[in-house]
Amino acid sequence: GHCGIDLARKTGTPVYAASQGTIVNIGKQRNSKAGLWVEIMHSNGFNSRYLHLDSIRSDLREGDLLLAGERLGNVGNTGYSSHGSHLHFELFEDNGSAGKKYINPTDLLSQL
C-alpha cells in the first residue's frame, strides 16, 4: 500500500531532516518509482525516507550525518507520482530479513 504521507508543496520548497541521523541510501534515478529520494537511519531504531524530490543537495553522500532540521533537498514531482508536486514522507523500522514495519508519521509530525 501507500506507506507514508504526502505533503503537498510547491516544487523547490526546501526539505529538512526530521531528526538527526545517518544517510543510508540516496536514490538518484528521476524516473524510478520513488524518483529522487533520501533515506536516513536514526538512533531510535527508525528510518525516514523523503521521496519524489526535485533535487538532492549535491554534497550529500551515503554515510553522512545530517542534523535535525538540516536541508537535504527540495520538494518535487519525480518518479511515479500522480499527485503533482509533493513530498512523500515515511517512517519505518528496518527488521532486516523480516522486512520493514511502517509507522504512521502523523503522530511524529504533530509533536514537531
Side-chain angles (χ1 to χ4, degrees):
H2 187 263
C3 300
I5 58 172
D6 291 336
L7 303 166
R9 297 293 183 267
K10 291 182 181 180
T11 296
T13 301
V15 175
Y16 303 97
S19 181
Q20 179 174 307
T22 301
I23 297 173
V24 292
N25 287 304
I26 298 176
K28 296 182 180 180
Q29 296 181 347
R30 296 182 76 80
N31 295 322
S32 69
K33 183 176 181 180
L36 301 178
W37 59 278
V38 174
E39 180 179 340
I40 302 171
M41 179 177 59
H42 306 282
S43 61
N44 61 4
F46 297 108
N47 287 25
S48 59
R49 282 200 290 203
Y50 309 78
L51 283 64
H52 306 302
L53 299 173
D54 182 61
S55 62
I56 298 169
R57 260 183 43 205
S58 62
D59 63 322
L60 293 184
R61 303 287 180 267
E62 292 177 5
D64 285 353
L65 178 68
L66 280 181
L67 302 177
E70 188 172 351
R71 188 178 148 275
L72 58 91
N74 295 318
V75 171
N77 192 28
T78 60
Y80 299 171
S81 171
S82 61
H83 302 297
S85 183
H86 71 286
L87 171 68
H88 174 91
F89 176 71
E90 56 188 43
L91 289 174
F92 60 90
E93 285 181 280
D94 189 350
N95 297 313
S97 61
K100 294 177 177 72
K101 177 183 176 190
Y102 286 90
I103 289 99
N104 183 343
T106 305
D107 296 334
L108 170 72
L109 291 176
S110 67
Q111 295 173 16
L112 297 176

